[in-house]
Amino acid sequence: MKKVVLKLELHDNKCRQKAMKRASGLSGVDSVSVDKDQKLTLTGDIDPVEAVRKLRKVCYTEIVSVGPAKEPEKKKEEPKKEEQKKPAEPKKDAAKEPILYPYTVVCHPPMPTYYPPVPHYYTSANIVEEDPAACVIC
């Protein structure tokens, strides 16, 4: 289970609905939520790069963090045993901290196709200097 936090640039509610629909359609997504800060949180077995690739077609998207989903902790009431504490051991929880990407994934919308200008011999406009019957009022 992973928890992926993405920052989106949502312009209106329609963009928000489209982003939620795209995110919920990804394979392996268990839950989707959007904050007031326009941060989309996905939990489940998902690929964050694949999520960004799908969401960038709706709006600008960048990865904020990727990490394990917090599972509800079960309270265990066991009698405390007084044992000797071992000297400083590395924490195993340190590996479960969210990974912050040092770079942002910038995805721009595709550029429009370029249409070259129409040659002048296809236009019907007459140039005044070439037409002696043309009248110009200044």
Side-chain angles (χ1 to χ4, degrees):
M1 293 282 287
K2 288 183 184 177
K3 179 180 178 184
V4 178
V5 180
L6 305 171
K7 184 176 181 183
L8 307 175
E9 285 188 10
L10 302 171
H11 303 291
D12 54 2
N13 285 336
K14 190 167 186 177
C15 288
R16 180 184 300 252
Q17 288 176 351
K18 286 182 180 181
M20 292 281 284
K21 188 172 183 179
R22 287 264 177 143
S24 62
L26 293 171
S27 63
V29 174
D30 292 335
S31 68
V32 180
S33 65
V34 178
D35 300 342
K36 291 181 181 179
D37 300 331
Q38 297 182 350
K39 290 185 180 180
L40 181 79
T41 305
L42 303 170
T43 54
D45 294 325
I46 48 177
D47 182 20
V49 176
E50 182 71 19
V52 169
R53 190 176 71 84
K54 292 287 185 180
L55 288 170
R56 73 177 178 188
K57 295 178 181 177
V58 176
C59 60
Y60 175 80
T61 307
E62 62 182 46
I63 298 175
V64 176
S65 66
V66 178
K70 292 185 179 178
E71 298 175 1
E73 297 178 9
K74 297 179 181 178
K75 295 182 180 179
K76 296 180 181 178
E77 296 181 16
E78 296 179 4
K80 296 182 179 178
K81 297 178 182 178
E82 294 182 20
E83 296 180 4
Q84 295 177 353
K85 294 185 177 180
K86 296 179 181 177
E89 291 183 15
K91 289 187 176 181
K92 294 181 180 179
D93 295 333
K96 293 186 178 181
E97 292 181 10
I99 301 169
L100 297 177
Y101 282 87
Y103 57 89
T104 57
V105 178
V106 178
C107 303
H108 300 285
M111 294 295 294
T113 56
Y114 174 73
Y115 295 105
V118 179
H120 70 280
Y121 49 83
Y122 286 121
T123 59
S124 62
N126 294 330
I127 300 174
V128 176
E129 297 165 353
E130 294 179 0
D131 188 10
C135 179
V136 179
I137 300 174
C138 296

